[in-house]
Amino acid sequence: MIHSLFLINSSGDIFLEKHWKSVVSRSVCDYFFEAQEKANESENVPPVIPTPHHFLISVYRDRIFFVAVIQSEVPPLFVIEFLHRVVDTFQDYFGTCSEVAIKDNVVVVYEVLEEMLDNGFPLATESNILKELIRPPTILRTVVNTITGSTNVGDHLPTGQLSVVPWRRTGVRYANNEAYFDVVEEIDAIIDKSGSTVFAEIQGVIDACVKLTGMPDLTLSFMNPRLLDDVSFHPCVRFKRWESERILSFIPPDGNFRLLSYHVSSQNLVAIPVYVKHNISFRDGSSMGRFEITVGPKQTMGKTVEGTVVTSQLPKVVLNMNLTSTQGNYTFDPVTKVVSWDIGKINPQKLPSLKGTMSLQTGTPKPDENPNINIQFKIQQLAISGLKVNRLDMYGEKYKPFKGIKYMTKAGKFQVRT
Amino acid sequence: MASNSLSYNDQGDRGLGSESTELGQEATAMTSGGGFRLFSADYKKNEDLHQMLESNKDSLKLEAMKRIVGMIAKGKNASELFPAVVKNVASKNIELKKLVYVYLVRYAEEQQDLALLSISTFQRALKDPNQLIRASALRVLSSIRVSIIVPIMMLSIKEAASDLSPYVRKTAAHAIQKLYSLDAEQKEPLVEIIEKLLKDKSTLVAGSVVMSFEEVCPERIDLIHKNYRKLCNLLVDVEEWGQVVIINMLTRYARTQFLSPWKEEELLDESNEKTFYDSDEDQNKNGVAAKQPYVMDPDHRLLLRNTKPLLQSRNAAVVMGVAQLYWHLAPKSEVNIVAKSLVRLLRSHREVQYIVLQNIATMTIQRKGMFEPYLKSFYVRSTDPTQIKILKLEILTNLASETNISIVLREFQTYVKSQDKQFAAAAIQAIGRCATNISEVTDTCLNGLVYLLSNRDENVVAESVVVIKKLLQTQPSQHSEIIKHMAKLLSNITVSMARASILWLIGEYCERVPKIAPDVLRKVAKSFTNEEEIVKLQILNLGAKLYLTNPKQTKLLMQYILNVAKYDQNYDIRDRTRFIKQLIVPNEKSGALSKYAKKIFLVQKPAPILESPFKDRDRFQLSTLSHTLNTKASGYLELPDWPQTAPDPSVRNVEVIQPVQEQVTPVGKLKGKKDNLGGKFYSDSEEKEESSKSSESSSESDSKNEDSSSSSSEESSDSESEKEKKDKESENSDSENNQAKTKSKKLDSASSSESEESSSEDSSESESDSEPDSTVKQKKEGKSALSVAKAAIKQEVSLLDLFDFSDVSTPVALPKPVMASRLATDLEGLSLSSTAVIDVTTPVFVPAKSYSLLHRMSGKGLGAEYHFPRQPCIYNTKMVSVQITLTNSSEKEIRNIQIGERKLASGMQMHDFYEIECLEPGASKTVSMGIDFCDSTQAANFQLCTFNDHFSVSVQPPVGELLLPVTTSEKDFRKEQGKLTGMNENSTAITGSPQNSSCQAIVHKVVNMANVGVVPSGQDNIHRFAAKTVNSGALVLITIEVKEGSTMQLSINTEKSVIGSVLLRELKSVLSQE
């Protein structure tokens, strides 16, 4: 399936190559560079590029292109999904997935890639198994290894690979047994000029960090499971139990994992926690424009809106901005024409605002479209859909674990049209 | 043993040759080293690596290997170290060994003979008691691409395929493909091994062996028969990558083995029918009811049922795989369930979105109804990459229909203004396509596009001109006004493609604009020499056409142009000039052709077809690489067509059928309810053990919880299993019933697309139809809106000195506003921003409640339901749009469904839906109509007629549906509220339960009840809603104040006191409910 993998950095250097079948010359990447040039932006490089003898399927993450070489028909999503899994694994191993991190750990990278694919077909992609096969590098271990000459490579077959719970390793031991669940919801919305909602939906995930001894069997139930319209599970979740009782029942992997991601049915109303008042205008013939934004909370269920950042991509004719903000700092990048205003916490008594003028290039007509405003924010201790975890029970083990749950609401792709 | 020694001999023979090849390689390395210094540095470095590898210390060796792997990763050649590295293949240090393996696999092909030195090590390792070592030895051995070791590989694979460890068997499955790609002649024995491994019961092996099957012998479909049911049952527990491969394979399998579930719908074909019934008899052997014409093979059903849970997978490839399986295999009514999951994938990475959107685009062309509920998920964000934007636009265009066109067009209107010009141009084309597809909005779109002509951006203007040209060509009716307008713009437009298009249009329709055309020619003649080539060609074209139709005015002009063009630098233009001159200017030499010149130039040209670029993609299986690229990729396996007659289903019967089919239930029963429900993997392991009873499968040896259940399975007596069998069957039939139910439900959404098609066919009638309906007042309104726009244009074009514009006193772009003026203003918004404080907005989305219009019993099989889609009515602004779903539950088709006599209260009006010519049995259609209720809750009574019957029915509007939501600011709300006090205010106190007084609950309830807009409110305890009545536009303002102790004060301000009081009553009852 997957013949070879090339990693290409943003300046167009191939800094790593790996072949699973016979060697494919790196000149095949020329087709990729050609497409990259044509696309002018990294985001616009088509994910699938045909060449005379191969097909290149690429993903772009963390400023690195991961280009897989394919020789014959294969579902493209299969390859794309796998490449993303590779990136996730690198992030898991090295903290970040940057060119430097990969170059520094090239041997580990090679060993991991060797285990992930056999003859181009995925072999072990579960992080729990991989980490047993090849231990992630830590400072302590690196020091110990250099002194004692021991290695990162595990010397026994991960039992998970063979068991009916391939995602969990056996013999897990913890002094403190704890299980944390984070319910994180993101609001995707498009707000139109007049402030009414064109489109809004809630996407949520439950991320878990489970450090429990042995083979615990957990069940998690919700107060209002009907809210979840469409869900996708970690393979550990027993689907039949969910279908019949709406209860999540699973033997968790060890460590961090994403238990569930869900979509709140679009039939429910979405509460929009902030509003934006804006007045952005360009006058014809004038070299000045007005820019005025006020942000305020709305439907926040009594919680504070934090970490608010407002960004906007201004049209090319804007040369500079002269603004004053009542709260937070703003920056304007005259090259990319992006204005970004970091507000932080919104105080409902004193609404933050950003006012001032834009100086425009003279002699050019005013732009047709006002810039869109993107907003980021966070609300702690609130799941905006109203989803609530009812209880978490553990079976199969004797001890009493410490359980914790946290809610958070964030802005996803939250866009205001002006 | 014999073969082993043989291979050693082989090796010995080759030993002599090896040195010479090595020497040869070194020689090339020497010469290829370009810069000598660089080369020597490299050489030195390798030298110390050599030394490190020769040393006794593992740590030094390891260090050296790490550096070598680093070199390989960077793509540097490290092949000359091969002899030194290969010595370490038998090292005790595991990491060192692994790195040597990495090196070996990379360079074995280049250094075949040296690689053979390592083989014996692997052969030894293959006998190791540790399964990990056995597996990795096989992995590396099979990865060494040296053809001489093919027999050794074959032997090892054969052995490994019957290894006790499933992990080793999995590795063997992988090795099969490697060996096949190395030596295709080994196919026969390899297929035998595949056959053996396919029988394997381990989930670990299943994915890998199917992968090998697909690579080596995809045509041997007969190997699957016996394993089909097992694969279906194991599928949920196979690892995700294996799932993708198995799903793909089973899709092809099912296409060859089962009958088409779509046949019923295609039953029109006489010839098909016979074979169809024949095959039915085959099916009935299974003892299923003989009455129904098509019964799905239980195995077909098994596949659909077992893949459905995988839609919930976190892996996008699996979800897409299931989606394509349903698309290609499921009855039409069941496909819709995949839509929701596909839409979920749109949250994923850019690349995933790209592929999923492409597949959705193909799906939407055939089945609009499937994704219609998710229309808004395809709205474009300015932060999307361009290619994603364009795909979303494509889908929105495909989804646009009579019922949602107004909101789609409003979206497009924002897109046109996008800073991303490539996207803006695509949006304009999309508007053009909507205009051709939905005849009702053609004129609105055309107007909107004409306004775009005054846009500042040249590309936008150019694109609009090109699209308008295409539109006018498809509808060459009375559009001379638009042509005139474009003629005026000619001097402002500089994009050559647009200029050329305008000139072509004027030439083509020169008889419609007899006065302007010569003048345009005069103007372009002046600037001829400065024009682009494409424009010059069109000038010649225009001239020729005018010369033929109006020689009196244009003869001299044309002669001038021909003279200038004769000396043009471009040979193409000189060539065309000569050709045209000979053709149109009569002279003594001119042949027979010039007589037909007029026919040649002014022949009716076929209109271009605006269609989706995804139109022909459905020839490829969805989710494949070929589909993405729209060309056949190598190795693409054509999806076979359904067989005419079903192949014998008994081939899938397995001798020892009990374990696979029925054992799940009894064991689960003995073990208690919980396991039965939850034990996704328990049930799997039970199956495994059960089967191990009959076949001496080895998988049990390492499964741990075996002892608990193996005893229980033995207990289950024959009689019980029989009983279970029956249970299972009844369960099956149950589920089939359910499907029948859902089928009817889903059909109506599918059929709505059909109804649109039929309505567009009627397009020509639609214009005349709607005219009598629209009131005088409305026309006036439409005109006044247009005239504002006209004024704006006039100003811009007043510099033109075209004399025959003076007689155009009516508004510029004036094809009759067939559409309600509301829509027209929507598109006018393209250039004119509205300044009104109170705007009508899009309604908040709530699930539609439907009401019964005609029961199927009283309607002799014709059932009808209606609901209010809460969209502005496209026929008339004063009407409430009503959608009626007609279902035929009789045995025969119902013909000519239409609205007959109506008994409406005075002032009320109705816009009929288009006649439905024929409704198939079991089918249903959704049609939309508009009713002006005059802001009263009086029912609209009318007759629903069919070919031989008519039924009196009535549509009773709930008061909440007589409203349109508006947005306003809190300040304006208060101001308006201040004007509507006293008589116009209704208020009451409500005591509700505490959970009712939450913000969301209130909003939800109110919006569910009435079509109102939410007004942003500064206070948390006061909720405001605003709307206006559909007919008179009177404001309706609702205020709910939550007080302590969960009481609420509800007040409604409106001058329509009847509506106010009814609304108050209904809201009160809703809000006080639990």
Side-chain angles (χ1 to χ4, degrees), chain A residues 381-401:
Chain A
Q381 303 304 323
L382 172 74
I384 199 89
S385 66
L387 186 76
K388 272 221 152 57
V389 171
N390 186 17
R391 53 182 299 140
L392 174 74
D393 296 306
M394 188 183 74
Y395 304 97
E397 295 288 332
K398 296 256 163 17
Y399 55 84
K400 225 175 139 47

Side-chain angles (χ1 to χ4, degrees), chain A residues 308 323-331 340-345 350 352-354:
Chain A
T308 320
L323 306 172
T324 48
S325 59
T326 58
Q327 187 186 338
N329 299 319
Y330 85 94
T331 52
S340 158
W341 176 31
D342 190 348
I343 304 173
K345 214 176 263 182
K350 208 171 128 281
S353 67
L354 184 69

Side-chain angles (χ1 to χ4, degrees), chain B residues 125-408:
Chain B
L126 280 171
K127 306 264 186 310
D128 198 280
N130 183 338
Q131 48 180 341
L132 178 65
I133 292 175
R134 285 203 302 277
S136 76
L138 181 60
R139 241 181 97 185
V140 180
L141 177 66
S142 55
S143 299
I144 296 174
R145 286 168 294 271
V146 177
S147 49
I148 204 163
I149 62 163
V150 165
I152 304 178
M153 270 162 85
M154 194 58 158
L155 205 70
S156 332
I157 292 173
K158 262 185 195 152
E159 263 169 37
S162 43
D163 198 286
L164 285 180
S165 154
Y167 185 67
V168 177
R169 296 202 298 275
K170 184 187 175 74
T171 320
H174 285 243
I176 292 172
Q177 304 165 46
K178 298 182 206 169
L179 181 52
Y180 180 69
S181 65
L182 187 65
D183 183 3
E185 280 172 21
Q186 303 293 325
K187 188 170 171 179
E188 277 309 307
L190 286 178
V191 171
E192 269 168 39
I193 301 174
I194 289 176
E195 191 175 359
K196 182 176 174 191
L197 283 174
L198 274 172
K199 293 200 183 100
D200 204 302
K201 300 289 191 297
S202 164
T203 51
L204 214 53
V205 183
S208 305
V209 70
V210 171
M211 187 64 228
S212 300
F213 171 83
E214 291 279 82
E215 292 248 315
V216 179
C217 53
E219 73 287 348
R220 289 289 304 274
I221 214 96
D222 56 294
L223 296 180
I224 302 298
H225 290 320
K226 295 274 180 227
N227 302 298
Y228 173 81
R229 287 174 195 163
K230 184 198 71 194
L231 283 174
C232 285
N233 285 321
L234 286 185
L235 192 57
V236 189
D237 300 328
V238 175
E239 36 85 46
E240 44 199 344
W241 311 107
Q243 285 173 347
V244 180
V245 178
I246 297 177
I247 288 170
N248 270 331
M249 188 275 289
L250 289 179
T251 309
R252 267 190 315 114
Y253 178 83
R255 272 298 189 99
T256 57
Q257 298 300 317
F258 304 127
L259 284 179
S260 165
W262 313 328
K263 271 250 173 100
E264 244 170 323
E265 288 139 64
E266 299 163 359
L267 201 62
L268 307 163
D269 203 357
E270 263 309 282
S271 61
N272 274 354
E273 208 154 42
K274 203 171 163 239
T275 54
F276 181 63
Y277 281 114
D278 280 350
S279 64
D280 213 13
E281 272 161 36
D282 260 15
Q283 297 258 314
N284 290 341
K285 279 178 201 160
N286 292 351
V288 207
K291 203 180 148 195
Q292 280 168 304
Y294 168 78
V295 178
M296 185 181 280
D297 190 309
D299 286 330
H300 191 171
R301 175 52 63 201
L302 177 77
L303 176 61
L304 292 178
R305 197 173 44 226
N306 282 354
T307 46
K308 195 179 156 200
L310 298 180
L311 283 174
Q312 252 68 45
S313 170
R314 63 170 169 172
N315 188 320
V318 176
V319 177
M320 192 67 231
V322 179
Q324 66 84 20
L325 183 134
Y326 264 74
W327 178 259
H328 292 294
L329 297 181
K332 300 267 189 210
S333 56
E334 289 170 44
V335 181
N336 289 14
I337 59 161
V338 305
K340 194 192 278 179
S341 306
L342 287 181
V343 170
R344 187 188 67 226
L345 296 186
L346 298 181
R347 275 283 293 180
S348 191
H349 299 285
R350 166 187 79 95
E351 296 84 6
V352 176
Q353 282 185 44
Y354 178 80
I355 304 290
V356 172
L357 285 172
Q358 275 194 329
N359 285 297
I360 292 179
T362 307
M363 289 178 171
T364 47
I365 286 177
Q366 286 180 34
R367 310 279 304 278
K368 204 181 273 198
M370 206 170 143
F371 287 95
E372 231 168 2
Y374 306 99
L375 183 75
K376 290 192 171 179
S377 305
F378 302 107
Y379 280 8
V380 174
R381 292 187 170 77
S382 61
T383 41
D384 288 332
T386 309
Q387 47 185 350
I388 301 287
K389 282 183 189 163
I390 287 173
L391 281 171
K392 282 186 173 173
L393 195 64
E394 171 68 36
I395 292 169
L396 285 176
T397 317
N398 289 343
L399 288 180
S401 68
E402 197 192 335
T403 47
N404 59 21
I405 184 68
S406 61
I407 53 170
V408 171

Side-chain angles (χ1 to χ4, degrees), chain B residues 996 1005-1006 1009 1065-1073:
Chain B
N996 262 358
K1005 286 192 166 173
V1006 173
M1009 217 295 288
R1065 206 169 56 226
E1066 294 196 355
L1067 276 177
K1068 186 180 174 180
S1069 73
V1070 166
L1071 286 170
S1072 52
Q1073 267 170 18

Side-chain angles (χ1 to χ4, degrees), chain B residues 573-588:
Chain B
I573 289 166
R574 293 199 302 273
D575 191 46
R576 178 72 65 90
T577 312
R578 226 165 281 134
F579 157 69
I580 285 178
K581 197 173 179 182
Q582 289 304 317
L583 206 55
I584 60 171
V585 184
N587 56 9
E588 67 278 10

